[in-house]
Structures are given as structure tokens and as C-alpha cells.
Amino acid sequence: MKVRRAPTLFLILALALYSLLASSGHAQESTPKLRGKLTVSGAATLFPLVNDIALRYEHLYPGVRIDVRSVGSGNGVADVRSGAADIGMLSRALLNNERDLFSYPVARDGVAVVVHRDNPVKGITTQQLSALLTGQLTNWKTLTGRDAPVNVAWRRGHGSFELMLERLNLRREQIVGHVLTGPTEDGIKFAAADTNGLTLASVGESERSMRSGVPIKLLAYNGVPASIRTIQAHDYALSRPLTLITRQLPQGLQKQFIDYALSKDVIDLQVKHGFVPYQE
């Protein structure tokens, strides 16, 4: 009786396939799973975007948990310095007294001067905005011919506040008016409810509010419309970076999350929230 033997080529291929599968399985078993927890704290403007990025990252890596907290840019800096947060969120660039920290811009936005939709004013200059914020200009009659008080709502300790001090060359003690302690949407609600109101808010968030029917409008600044389009074109003077910060050079999970937040994988989320990807 003849015994049929498998062709030598067949045996070689079979052994090669077995070796490949075995080495693949071993590699999968030896690859460590990404695990850990991060705390991210800071700007209310950046909170919705970073929270969405964190949720997507957790879905990719189920062993990771990321706690994102909206506490304002100033508190974000304090949390990073004290170690209460692994990563901070700023709705501005680092200030001169914060240069000891490391910053990573993730997107661009702008600060809009927001008023009620029925306010006849269309634009504002640097000099006029400075006069409004410092209380030198208290009546709309100078700007619109309408005799009515200017009601200013603003928030100290937030990114827009620091940006205005820098761009308008003002000191903290010069700023007067009603101060809001809530997030940027509180200012938008204020302007929407008061025909004499004025506030400063995120361009992206304000545009989203207008599209949803909120009765506000964004004033042109020095003749340039406040819009995502003019920010993208680098024409709007009150633009700002939205920034992640750390106390030391990022390592481990901290670095991997920041790298992901800076990647093209989250551009759709940046656009969703009305921001301009920083790379553009």
C-alpha cells in the first residue's frame, strides 16, 4: 500500500502560517492595555470640546477615565500648579507670569462683543470698547443715537477678561460694570434678554446660539466681522488660541491624551463646536 505524503511546499506554507498566527497571538497578549485616570480642569469655553474628546478617547481605550471640569482659565492654571489637575484648559495663550508652564494649542476661537439683536449698533472700535469696559461710555446715545444706559455683563478670572486687558492695554482695576461668575452662555443669555445689554463671549458659541434662534448679534470690531470665517483668515483682531497646559513635560497617559487632542482625529469635534483647527 502506498502512503501519500503532503507536498514539501504545502508543509512549509502550513508551518509558516502557524508561526505567524502564534507570534501574532503572543504579541497581542504581551501588548499592555492603556489604563489610568486623568483630571482636566479649566476654561468653560474649551470644556465642551475637551469633554467630547475625552469621551471618544475613553471609547477607544475602555481602561482610561478622564474627568473634565469647567472652572475657568485662572482656576485651571491654579489646579495644574497645585497638582489638582493633570492638564489645564485655557481660552487664551499663557500670560507672562505663566511661562513656567507648558502649552499646547488645540484650536482657535475669538472673543465677540455681543449685544441684543434689536440694538441698532453694528460695529465698535478699540477706543469705544475700552471706554465701555472702563465706564467712560455709559449711554448708547453716543453710538446709536438711542438714549439708553449701557448694561455691561462680564466675568473676571476668565480667558476673555485676560485677553481684553492685554489687547486694550488696560489694568484690572479699570474694568467696571456688572460681573458674571458663570460660563460664557450666561453672558449670551444676558445680552439676549436685555436690549441695552453688552457682553463678551466666545465667537464660536455665539454663532451657534444665533443659528439656534437666540436674539443676539456680534459686533464688527474695527470694521472686521466677528466670525469663524474671519478668525480662520487671521483677520479678526480679538482671536485667541484654545490651549491645553501642563506643569511639566507630559509623560505617559498625559502625553498620549494631549497628542490625541492635537491630532487630525478630532478635527470634526473642533468644527462641531464652532472652532478653527489650530493647524489652519
Side-chain angles (χ1 to χ4, degrees):
M1 180 177 67
K2 293 183 178 180
V3 179
R4 300 185 65 182
R5 300 182 181 277
T8 302
L9 181 59
F10 175 81
L11 286 174
I12 292 173
L13 291 174
L15 288 171
L17 179 60
Y18 175 82
S19 176
L20 179 63
L21 291 174
S23 63
S24 175
H26 177 72
Q28 289 176 357
E29 292 175 0
S30 62
T31 301
K33 293 182 179 179
L34 194 58
R35 293 184 178 278
K37 182 179 179 180
L38 292 174
T39 298
V40 185
S41 171
T45 298
L46 200 45
F47 169 80
L49 170 61
V50 174
N51 194 56
D52 274 0
I53 293 174
L55 291 173
R56 182 177 289 183
Y57 197 77
E58 289 177 339
H59 180 75
L60 291 172
Y61 303 100
V64 173
R65 289 293 174 267
I66 303 173
D67 180 20
V68 186
R69 303 171 183 173
S70 172
V71 297
S73 293
N75 288 329
V77 170
D79 285 349
V80 166
R81 281 186 166 149
S82 70
D86 302 290
I87 300 171
M89 301 180 291
L90 296 184
S91 56
R92 54 172 173 78
L94 289 173
L95 303 177
N96 288 333
N97 62 356
E98 297 167 346
R99 298 298 179 183
D100 57 307
L101 303 174
F102 296 86
S103 64
Y104 309 91
V106 295
R108 288 188 290 127
D109 185 30
V111 175
V113 182
V114 181
V115 297
H116 192 277
R117 183 171 59 198
D118 294 338
N119 192 319
V121 68
K122 295 181 179 180
I124 197 166
T125 66
T126 299
Q127 183 178 4
Q128 290 167 340
L129 180 58
S130 179
L132 284 165
L133 297 180
T134 57
Q136 299 175 47
L137 187 57
T138 60
N139 196 295
W140 285 111
K141 189 173 184 179
T142 305
L143 299 177
T144 68
R146 182 168 56 94
D147 188 9
V150 178
N151 300 324
V152 179
W154 210 16
R155 302 165 298 142
R156 293 181 182 270
H158 290 252
S160 60
F161 185 86
E162 301 293 348
L163 182 73
M164 288 299 104
L165 294 180
E166 177 190 29
R167 299 294 171 85
L168 302 180
N169 196 25
L170 297 174
R171 300 185 307 275
R172 290 174 180 270
E173 60 270 21
Q174 290 179 277
I175 304 298
V176 299
H178 177 61
V179 178
L180 293 177
T181 57
T184 190
E185 57 261 29
D186 286 354
I188 293 174
K189 290 177 182 177
F190 174 87
D194 186 350
T195 55
N196 298 320
L198 178 147
T199 194
L200 300 173
S202 157
V203 170
E205 189 162 349
S206 298
E207 285 194 325
R208 292 199 307 275
S209 296
M210 284 195 302
R211 287 195 296 268
S212 66
V214 177
I216 59 170
K217 67 179 179 181
L218 283 60
L219 300 185
Y221 181 69
N222 290 335
V224 178
S227 69
I228 291 300
R229 180 181 56 80
T230 56
I231 292 172
Q232 192 170 21
H234 299 274
D235 292 332
Y236 187 64
L238 298 180
S239 64
R240 58 182 177 177
L242 302 179
T243 310
L244 299 180
I245 61 170
T246 59
R247 186 173 57 175
Q248 298 175 333
L249 281 174
Q251 296 181 352
L253 179 59
Q254 182 191 46
K255 180 181 186 304
Q256 291 177 5
F257 178 71
I258 290 176
D259 287 345
Y260 182 72
L262 301 180
S263 73
K264 294 181 179 180
D265 294 336
V266 300
I267 286 180
D268 62 313
L269 296 180
Q270 295 172 357
V271 173
K272 168 190 170 184
H273 288 284
F275 301 137
V276 176
Y278 194 76
Q279 296 83 355
E280 293 186 6

